[in-house]
Structures are given as C-alpha cells and as structure tokens.
Amino acid sequence: QKPGQIRLAVLTNASGGILDDLTVYRLEEDRYGLVTNAGTRLKDVAWLETVKAEEGFREAEIVDRTDEIGKLDLQGPEAEAILQPLTPADLAGLGYYRFIRSSVAGRSALISRSGYTGEDGFELYAAGVAIGGIWDALIEQGAARNLRPAGLGARDTLRLEAGMLLYGHDMNETITPYEAIYGWLVDSPKDFIGSDALRRQKAAGVTQKLVGFEMTGRGIAREGHRVRRNGEAIGTVTSGTFSPTLSRAIGLALVRSEEHTSELQSPSVI
C-alpha cells in the first residue's frame, strides 16, 4: 500500500472472529488513518492499545481523532459533477479507493473516492468546525442536480442492494472472514492475530456461510428470522429490507455451509 491508497481490512481476534471491518488510509510512509465503525470505535482503540503493549510496539502512537474530524458522504452518479466546482482537485483522475488532500468550498479536506452505497462517490473528511460549511456548499451546488440529504436508513438499503455487510449484524466476533465475504482479505502466508485459527478453518472448511437471498412472496425478512428448508431450520437472517431497485424484499442470511448452493432458491423465512 502506497500513500494515497486505501485498503479494506478486518481486525480479527485470536479465534479469527471479526472485531471490526474498517478502511485503512496510508497518509504517509509511516502514518496511517483508520476509519472504524462508529459503534466499535472504543473497542477498536482499546484493542489496538492492548496489541501495542503486548507486542512491544513502543514507538507506535495511536491517537483517536474522532472528536476533531467530521465526515460527509457524497454518493451517486452526479457526485463528481456536484463536487468538482467546489474543489481544485482533479476528481476525474482520482481512482476508486484512492484519496487526495485538497480543499472543498475553501476548506481543507481529504477527498476519498469511496463509500458504502454501491455507487460512485466520495467521502469527505475535514475539521469538525468546517464540516457544516462544506455541507451547506454541497447542498447549494447540488440543488440543480437533485441532490438530497439522506440518513443511515437510506444508506442501509443501498449497501444491502450492493451486497455490502454491516458490522454487528452480518458479522461479529463469532463470524470469521471465510464465513462472511471477506476471505479474500486474508493473507494466509503471513502471521497475524488469528492467522493460525483461520488457516485451520480454511483447511477444514467452514460450517456456515453468509448468502444473499430474494423474497418471492410478500413480507420482509428481518434480522433474527429463521431460514428453513422443508420445515428444517438451516440458518438465520442477518439483514433484510425492501429493495426499491428490485421492487422486492432482499436480505442476507447465515446458513449451514452444505446449504450454500445454487439450489437455495426460495427457502421460507419465519
């Protein structure tokens, strides 16, 4: 990873369970920025401090800057056209999962071509005192292109349509990257916390697997609903909602690995 690049990563415990999924920004050769889930921030910081102490990384410095930095997501097919007049940065030349330091609406900002909606767009980081001004400028600039504010409920629908996971629902400390969709993030030859457990699991095979599904009938599957085949429980729904794009209900479920086949077309969810 080079400065200016972003990587998706997972923090794992000794048994290979996922403590959090996060993005890692390489700010400089020896300086990184970690963007965690809001609900896991304190746990993540405590975990990093514990690892630092136990592994002897005395020269490493960990600083929680949550209260200093604000963040806005500008997502959708018009995102670049809306943002470009507000920044001198060359957005067309900014690749996916790349970032640049520049300014937005005259305020210093880090512009990242990333997001968690399945759409093209940007994540904007700036000082907390400046983020309100950037918000106002975006709303004004985007008015002619139908820009609208959206909350986490809308983002949740979009990320689920794109098959993206939500920590605490589709993954947690009892679910490993191989059981979710994050097996590709595991660098098996390297040693890291949880690597031995994950190598053993990869060799033996997983006993459960996260899958996506569509509902063929009415109703929406909600987290905790049981998935059954021929009356037998084979798994549990982890996320579910109505998809405006598909005009039907969709979701994710953790099912027994032997049921993770193309034949799992329309299980009942109750």
Side-chain angles (χ1 to χ4, degrees):
Q1 185 181 1
K2 300 177 181 179
Q5 293 183 337
I6 310 167
R7 289 289 186 268
L8 179 64
V10 290
L11 288 179
T12 52
N13 56 27
S15 60
I18 300 174
L19 292 163
D20 196 11
D21 65 327
L22 63 160
T23 46
V24 181
Y25 288 67
R26 189 162 191 182
L27 304 172
E28 299 169 10
E29 287 293 334
D30 60 352
R31 186 165 171 258
Y32 294 83
L34 306 183
V35 182
T36 73
N37 283 284
T40 59
R41 173 177 65 91
L42 296 179
K43 179 181 72 171
D44 291 353
V45 172
W47 173 258
L48 293 173
E49 291 286 4
T50 297
V51 172
K52 173 186 172 180
E54 292 181 348
E55 300 295 330
F57 297 124
R58 296 182 180 86
E59 296 182 1
E61 182 181 11
I62 300 170
V63 180
D64 183 358
R65 300 190 62 196
T66 303
D67 294 334
E68 304 171 23
I69 300 175
K71 173 177 175 288
L72 294 174
D73 292 4
L74 179 65
Q75 301 283 290
E78 298 284 351
E80 183 178 317
I82 293 171
L83 182 59
Q84 187 61 83
L86 299 175
T87 178
D90 175 19
L91 299 181
L94 185 62
Y96 184 58
Y97 260 50
R98 297 292 187 272
F99 71 89
I100 188 171
R101 294 181 183 277
S102 185
S103 63
V104 176
R107 298 160 176 86
S108 296
L110 185 150
I111 303 172
S112 167
R113 193 155 210 151
S114 56
Y116 216 64
T117 62
E119 275 281 4
D120 184 25
F122 304 90
E123 294 179 290
L124 308 175
Y125 300 86
V129 295
I131 208 71
I134 293 176
W135 169 278
D136 292 340
L138 287 172
I139 293 298
E140 181 179 356
Q141 181 66 34
R145 293 181 180 271
N146 296 316
L147 177 65
R148 295 289 185 273
L152 289 178
R155 196 283 303 266
D156 192 52
T157 299
L158 294 170
R159 68 92 189 169
L160 190 52
E161 286 188 337
M164 296 174 168
L165 311 187
L166 182 61
Y167 191 84
H169 301 264
D170 309 307
M171 55 184 161
N172 54 46
E173 294 183 34
T174 68
I175 298 174
T176 73
Y178 289 126
E179 294 167 335
I181 62 170
Y182 287 149
W184 62 278
L185 290 175
V186 180
D187 195 346
S188 298
K190 292 185 178 180
D191 290 327
F192 54 89
I193 296 172
S195 61
D196 289 341
L198 289 173
R199 279 192 284 266
R200 290 193 298 270
Q201 185 181 57
K202 184 178 182 180
V206 298
T207 59
Q208 58 181 0
K209 191 72 176 178
L210 196 68
V211 300
F213 64 85
E214 298 178 359
M215 299 286 285
T216 56
R218 298 183 63 182
I220 297 176
R222 296 300 188 187
E223 181 179 2
H225 286 184
R226 304 295 280 175
V227 180
R228 301 178 185 275
R229 182 197 287 278
N230 299 325
E232 179 187 2
I234 61 171
T236 305
V237 174
T238 59
S239 287
T241 192
F242 180 80
S243 165
T245 302
L246 299 175
S247 296
R248 67 177 63 184
I250 60 173
L252 294 169
L254 197 63
V255 302
R256 295 198 309 247
S257 57
E258 63 267 25
E259 302 290 351
H260 180 229
T261 68
S262 60
E263 297 177 0
L264 186 59
Q265 296 175 351
S266 185
S268 61
V269 181
I270 61 173

